[in-house]
Amino acid sequence: MAQALKHIFSQEFYDVFIEDFSRIYPLDSQAFLSKIYSSEWEQKTLKQRITHTANVLHTCVHASYFQIVDFFIEFCNIALQKQTSQWGLAHMFIPEYIQLYGNHDFATSMRAIEHITKLASCEFAIREFIHLYPQKTMKQLQQWSKHSHPAVRRLASEGCRPRLPWATQILEFRKNPHHIIPILENLKADSSAFVRKSVANSLNDISKDNPQCVLTLCAQWKGFHAHTDWIIKHGLRTLLKQGNTEALLLCGISSARVCKIQHFTLNTPTVTALQPLHISFEIINTHTKIEKCRIEYALYFLRKNGTYSRKVFFIRELNLPANTTIQIQKQHSFIPRTIRKYYKGKQYVSCIINGVENMKKAFYYTE
């Protein structure tokens, strides 16, 4: 079984941190570790350990906030030389420190965030400053959208996402995303896939509250660059799953019923955690030319209160030659997960072609 993420805060991690940070500031390792390993340590979640580490560091480093930011910047330079992956998740306590103890000093905190985000993403920390200093922070993010470092450019997009996961939503941007658009404009053909993914995620966030805004923007962007077209496709994913006709057309998919589903078979009328759902069906192109087909399926999960929750799952897209039939098979696991609990009883599955739902069938889930 995979180890919980909170265990990245290991003794080895802290030993390395203390060694590197002590090259900059004489950190009392004994005092630091004794405070880290409090009586509640084992029960703390990942987020609680991040905050706890930031708080302990605050009690152990006796210097002004301006000086501490200098320490952090120098430490990040050291850590970046050793880093082998995109980010050190365990170092998220540094942006947490900025969020907790630096919101009184905008200029110094912006200087810190610009450097720290190269090591540990400041997408959560920056939202505190959007809340406290909305105009200044959005101006700063717009400037960072033209930064030479991809991690800083990504922060410009990621930090102001209206519905950033695991973060407080920015309700003002959900209502009106016009402050975000200039940043996305600057990044719509970014050279970094890391940044492009963030831009697409931001578009997807906006589409959930302001779909027409995203559709209009994507129509303007269409064909600007291959990178931009990728962003459009990924950013429209929620609207595509909803079968939105404009979104489908922007991605070159016709909603016309030229591709049809036949012989939809439910091979597992009863599923369990050990027996996945298995469906199969055929898709036929009845047209006289090649047609682009987007193939999905929908599951209607039984809720505790007896109602159903519908979720669409992507299978594939393909260019289907004229008068051609292909076979599709798909399995879906019902192994319980933290993000979804399954309830015993009747569930439903359907198949979707180019946004059009077909042939809803019932099956049963038993534990």
Side-chain angles (χ1 to χ4, degrees):
M1 182 180 293
Q3 193 176 49
L5 273 176
K6 69 178 186 178
H7 294 302
I8 59 175
F9 289 102
S10 63
Q11 181 66 54
E12 180 183 4
F13 168 77
Y14 283 123
D15 286 344
V16 172
F17 168 72
I18 291 168
E19 180 182 353
D20 289 342
F21 197 79
S22 294
R23 294 164 61 181
I24 306 161
Y25 176 88
L27 189 63
D28 185 332
S29 61
Q30 185 175 354
F32 179 80
L33 290 173
S34 66
K35 292 179 180 180
I36 286 290
Y37 294 119
S38 63
S39 58
E40 301 86 12
W41 173 254
E42 289 300 327
Q43 285 71 47
K44 289 185 184 295
T45 64
L46 173 65
K47 177 63 172 67
Q48 289 170 338
R49 291 186 180 194
I50 290 172
T51 302
H52 177 63
T53 303
N55 288 333
V56 169
L57 191 63
H58 182 67
T59 65
C60 292
V61 179
H62 307 290
S64 69
Y65 178 66
F66 190 92
Q67 290 174 307
I68 291 171
V69 164
D70 284 341
F71 299 157
F72 282 152
I73 291 173
E74 192 171 348
F75 170 79
C76 287
N77 291 335
I78 295 171
L80 282 166
Q81 293 176 6
K82 298 180 177 183
Q83 188 168 287
T84 57
S85 59
Q86 182 66 55
W87 276 325
L89 180 59
H91 290 118
M92 289 295 289
F93 70 88
I94 302 178
E96 181 80 357
Y97 187 102
I98 302 300
Q99 178 179 345
L100 292 172
Y101 299 107
N103 55 31
H104 65 287
D105 188 341
F106 180 83
T108 302
S109 294
M110 293 302 104
R111 179 170 66 91
I113 286 172
E114 181 178 355
H115 289 275
I116 293 166
T117 201
K118 301 171 189 177
L119 174 69
S121 176
C122 292
E123 65 201 62
F124 303 114
I126 196 68
R127 296 171 88 82
E128 175 73 9
F129 294 89
I130 293 175
H131 173 69
L132 294 173
Y133 313 95
Q135 292 184 345
K136 288 199 296 184
T137 307
M138 292 306 294
K139 183 178 179 180
Q140 180 66 76
L141 290 177
Q142 191 164 351
Q143 291 174 0
W144 281 342
S145 69
K146 298 180 179 180
H147 200 279
S148 60
H149 198 288
V152 182
R153 297 198 304 275
R154 177 192 179 270
L155 176 64
S157 171
E158 197 75 4
C160 60
R161 281 178 58 183
R163 292 169 168 259
L164 181 67
W166 305 299
T168 302
Q169 296 184 3
I170 304 178
L171 297 180
E172 180 185 349
F173 293 172
R174 285 188 58 185
K175 294 177 182 177
N176 187 349
H178 74 276
H179 291 294
I180 305 172
I181 303 304
I183 294 171
L184 304 185
E185 284 280 1
N186 289 342
L187 300 171
K188 67 177 182 287
D190 198 272
S191 59
S192 167
F194 188 47
V195 176
R196 295 195 298 272
K197 184 176 180 182
S198 176
V199 175
N201 287 339
S202 188
L203 285 178
N204 188 55
D205 276 6
I206 297 170
S207 75
K208 295 174 181 179
D209 299 297
N210 299 274
Q212 196 55 52
C213 172
V214 172
L215 289 167
T216 301
L217 187 64
C218 289
Q220 295 169 356
W221 287 4
K222 183 72 175 174
F224 179 81
H225 193 283
H227 290 340
T228 315
D229 289 344
W230 183 92
I231 289 171
I232 291 170
K233 179 69 174 292
H234 198 61
L236 291 174
R237 61 188 183 273
T238 293
L239 296 179
L240 290 170
K241 287 184 176 182
Q242 293 172 354
N244 183 283
T245 302
E246 285 187 63
L248 288 164
L249 288 174
L250 279 168
C251 296
I253 301 168
S254 172
S255 60
R257 293 176 178 269
V258 293
C259 293
K260 297 182 178 180
I261 293 174
Q262 61 186 13
H263 305 314
F264 179 34
T265 304
L266 180 58
N267 301 306
T268 48
T270 301
V271 303
T272 67
L274 299 177
Q275 172 60 65
L277 175 70
H278 184 270
I279 59 173
S280 61
F281 53 92
E282 292 179 349
I283 297 178
I284 180 170
N285 178 9
T286 60
H287 208 256
T288 56
K289 63 178 183 179
I290 295 174
E291 289 291 339
K292 189 172 185 179
C293 296
R294 178 181 175 89
I295 308 165
E296 300 165 302
Y297 66 102
L299 280 170
Y300 292 78
F301 297 105
L302 181 64
R303 291 191 177 112
K304 186 176 182 179
N305 63 5
T307 62
Y308 287 90
S309 171
R310 180 179 183 267
K311 184 169 177 60
V312 175
F313 298 88
F314 177 76
I315 298 178
R316 61 188 290 202
E317 280 186 7
L318 53 85
N319 292 314
L320 191 59
N323 300 311
T324 301
T325 302
I326 61 167
Q327 177 81 19
I328 301 293
Q329 296 191 36
K330 184 64 182 178
Q331 288 192 2
H332 188 100
S333 172
F334 275 74
I335 296 174
R337 295 180 293 169
T338 55
I339 59 173
R340 180 173 292 114
K341 179 175 175 58
Y342 302 113
Y343 295 96
K344 292 190 295 184
K346 184 186 289 187
Q347 327 275 325
Y348 295 93
V349 61
S350 65
C351 42
I352 303 171
I353 181 74
N354 291 1
V356 179
E357 190 170 14
N358 300 267
M359 304 180 184
K360 187 174 174 182
K361 292 192 174 185
F363 65 95
Y364 288 85
Y365 171 73
T366 61
E367 294 178 325

